[in-house]
Amino acid sequence: PLAGPLAVGAASVLDGVQHSLLQRLSTGLGALRDSKQLTERQRELWFAALEAAERRGEIRFAVTLIGASVIDARGISAATRLAVARVLERLALAPQLSSVLLDGLLVAPKRFREQRTIIRGDETEPLISFASIVAKVVRDRYMVRMARRFPSYGFDRHKGYGTSAHYAALEQYGPCPIHRRFFLRGMF
């Protein structure tokens, strides 16, 4: 995205619970997929179901948002490492008792000795899919709030991604405080 925070989600379940939770949730919601392959409505339904499961104590999840100013100051890689460390900290996991599955090229802090990075993990690992969904929903809701604060940019429609409408707004108004200047180099 050209604007808005980096969002990293994490989900935690006890060993042996994930499969039964997935089966129960999928019954009413359909197949679990990568958050980008779900419609906004489907993501919201999954999010509500995950919130209900969290209230029942079946899952815990957290999302960390890292703002554009940190991304610009430290770079996207360092911001991503910071986000992963923060979101795992928010779940208060015991590193020596936790197995961490990570999507893409993510890496957890070294104190989490048992960790595995899975390319396209959000397509194959339900727990990573859960984390992806909660991160996308929280970030999208944030961008809708930012659309009210910065109405000229249409954040409620494109969520900060580089659409033609977003580029047109940037041409007309220039960047606002939540734009990632690192990604706008050469434009302004």
Side-chain angles (χ1 to χ4, degrees):
L2 302 176
L6 166 69
V8 172
S12 173
V13 295
L14 295 174
D15 281 342
V17 174
Q18 176 179 289
H19 184 70
S20 63
L21 176 62
L22 176 61
Q23 280 187 317
R24 195 169 54 261
L25 294 178
S26 294
T27 300
L29 298 172
L32 177 66
R33 296 193 301 268
D34 165 22
S35 66
K36 295 176 290 299
Q37 296 175 6
L38 297 171
T39 66
E40 184 174 358
R41 184 179 183 323
Q42 289 170 320
R43 284 191 300 270
E44 287 287 346
L45 290 171
W46 272 101
F47 188 84
L50 290 167
E51 283 182 314
E54 185 175 46
R55 286 190 297 275
R56 291 189 303 270
E58 299 170 320
I59 190 170
R60 292 175 38 229
F61 61 84
V63 176
T64 294
L65 300 176
I66 303 293
S69 63
V70 174
I71 295 168
D72 289 340
R74 297 186 181 186
I76 192 69
S77 295
T80 302
R81 285 191 302 275
L82 176 62
V84 170
R86 282 185 182 173
V87 79
L88 291 173
E89 191 175 292
R90 288 191 65 204
L91 283 178
L93 301 172
Q96 67 278 11
L97 301 176
S98 300
S99 175
V100 179
L101 302 177
L102 299 135
D103 186 34
L105 301 174
L106 299 177
V107 178
K110 290 182 182 183
R111 67 181 177 276
F112 290 92
R113 293 175 196 241
E114 192 174 331
Q115 59 179 283
R116 185 167 48 117
T117 299
I118 303 164
I119 302 299
R120 290 192 292 278
D122 53 359
E123 296 174 11
T124 60
E125 291 290 335
L127 202 56
I128 295 175
S129 297
F130 293 156
S132 173
I133 289 167
V134 297
K136 181 91 171 103
V137 169
V138 168
R139 187 187 185 285
D140 284 356
R141 289 177 179 178
Y142 173 87
M143 293 307 289
V144 168
R145 288 192 307 275
M146 290 300 99
R148 292 190 292 269
R149 187 170 168 196
F150 304 105
S152 302
Y153 297 94
F155 293 139
D156 55 323
R157 292 184 304 280
H158 55 68
K159 310 302 189 275
Y161 288 89
T163 65
S164 56
H166 191 180
Y167 280 112
L170 279 165
E171 288 287 326
Q172 185 171 359
Y173 304 107
C176 74
I178 68 165
H179 276 98
R180 300 178 182 184
R181 302 224 189 300
F182 181 83
F183 295 106
L184 299 177
R185 276 190 272 179
M187 285 186 70
F188 300 95

